[in-house]
Amino acid sequence: NHLMKAMIFAAGLGTRLKPLTDHMPKALVPVAGKPMLEHVIRKLIAFGCDEIVINVHHFADQIIDFLKEKNNFGITIHISDETAILLDTGGGIKKAASFFHEPFLIHNVDILSNVDLKSLYEYHLTSGNDATLLVSPRKTVRYLLFDEKNHLCGWVNKDTLQTKPEGFVYQPEVQKEYAFSGIHIVSPTLFNYMGENWTGKFPIMDFYLQTCQEAKLGGHVKEDLQLIDIGKPETLAQAEDFIRQTH
């Protein structure tokens, strides 16, 4: 029985939450009386997580002090320091690669959800995937596209019909369209595909879409996904209701 490992993206500038983030990192913005980072850490621990990597950039010291004050919530927490340069999601994962010798769950600091993270993790362990992306059928403009085996094969913007990767043919009658949740599980084998052309700052989604032909990137569909992006001021109040209902 694997104890879950995880990475939380907490390095973002939180520009959508200004002026709150003029003097604190987004990760420490309180939701229902607790920093959003604490909500995510406690959720991970509740699902059996014993080791977390947190990337930091904006007001990094405040996050480090907060974790110290909380004694790392009684688990192992590593800091991946991006104070020198913000590496985006892909670069952030690559920088933290040395911490991961087994599959790890990746979670944005600014989302709350009703996901059973443990069963998602267990699913990934048996799937043979290099990465498993939690997706849902929610209505959006930009969709990830999956083949009949639920392997990622492309991306489409329904408004402009722009597609990725290059040369990809959008076939709405063949491919399944799902929205990405910001929660995914990565096996160390994924790093085998991150060669020289993937250095410095890059979004993980660009990497996924460029390598979906070679790497095994699977979707895991949650039909009844409830997910709140608390990185936006207008959803902060909604998030507080959500926390009250789910606790």
Side-chain angles (χ1 to χ4, degrees):
N1 187 13
H2 282 260
L3 279 165
M4 189 160 66
K5 312 288 177 208
M7 177 172 186
I8 301 173
F9 287 138
L13 298 173
T15 41
R16 297 179 300 173
L17 288 175
K18 276 175 161 298
L20 282 173
T21 46
D22 287 340
H23 47 83
M24 71 163 76
K26 173 170 73 174
L28 295 185
V29 170
V31 182
K34 287 196 191 93
M36 50 177 92
L37 177 62
E38 180 168 344
H39 288 291
V40 176
I41 291 173
R42 288 188 184 280
K43 173 160 179 147
L44 287 165
I45 291 171
F47 282 108
C49 183
D50 69 335
E51 190 175 349
I52 300 176
V53 176
I54 300 174
N55 72 347
V56 295
H57 170 82
H58 186 55
F59 295 120
D61 295 349
Q62 290 187 32
I63 295 178
I64 291 163
D65 292 345
F66 170 73
L67 293 168
K68 221 174 262 164
E69 186 192 308
K70 296 283 186 184
N71 287 322
N72 285 344
F73 294 91
I75 61 164
T76 302
I77 295 184
H78 310 279
I79 294 293
S80 182
D81 190 341
E82 294 181 26
T83 42
I85 178 172
L86 200 50
L87 293 169
D88 208 329
T89 48
I93 291 169
K94 188 173 187 181
K95 183 178 169 70
S98 62
F99 294 115
F100 301 119
H101 308 290
E102 55 192 287
F104 58 101
L105 182 139
I106 295 173
H107 202 295
N108 291 346
V109 77
D110 57 1
I111 52 178
L112 295 171
S113 78
N114 63 341
V115 181
D116 179 338
L117 299 175
K118 184 75 178 156
S119 68
L120 175 65
Y121 192 76
E122 300 287 346
Y123 168 82
H124 174 79
L125 295 179
T126 58
S127 68
N129 290 338
D130 296 305
T132 299
L133 286 65
L134 180 73
V135 295
S136 76
R138 88 183 144 86
K139 282 268 165 277
T140 182
V141 173
R142 293 173 289 275
Y143 286 99
L144 293 179
L145 302 166
F146 295 86
D147 65 18
E148 70 291 341
K149 289 186 181 148
N150 263 0
H151 287 160
L152 180 68
C153 54
W155 173 95
V156 67
N157 177 323
K158 295 291 274 281
D159 285 351
T160 62
L161 291 185
Q162 179 203 359
T163 58
K164 293 174 186 173
E166 199 134 328
F168 171 74
V169 181
Y170 173 48
Q171 298 169 288
E173 63 289 342
V174 181
Q175 296 140 358
K176 294 182 271 194
E177 304 175 352
Y178 293 114
F180 180 47
S181 65
I183 298 173
H184 36 149
I185 298 183
V186 168
S187 284
T189 50
L190 189 74
F191 295 120
N192 300 341
Y193 301 94
M194 268 186 203
E196 283 69 83
N197 37 345
W198 298 101
T199 48
K201 178 180 180 168
F202 63 93
I204 192 64
M205 200 44 78
D206 287 5
F207 169 77
Y208 282 157
L209 290 165
Q210 293 307 319
T211 46
C212 62
Q213 301 305 315
E214 307 98 84
K216 194 175 170 196
L217 309 175
H220 188 62
V221 186
K222 183 163 171 60
E223 297 288 344
D224 63 337
L225 180 65
Q226 285 177 280
L227 188 118
I228 296 182
D229 173 354
I230 45 181
K232 298 189 289 211
E234 62 273 22
T235 42
L236 266 178
Q238 226 181 313
E240 307 211 330
D241 292 341
F242 183 79
I243 285 166
R244 279 193 289 272
Q245 283 155 21
T246 51
H247 284 260

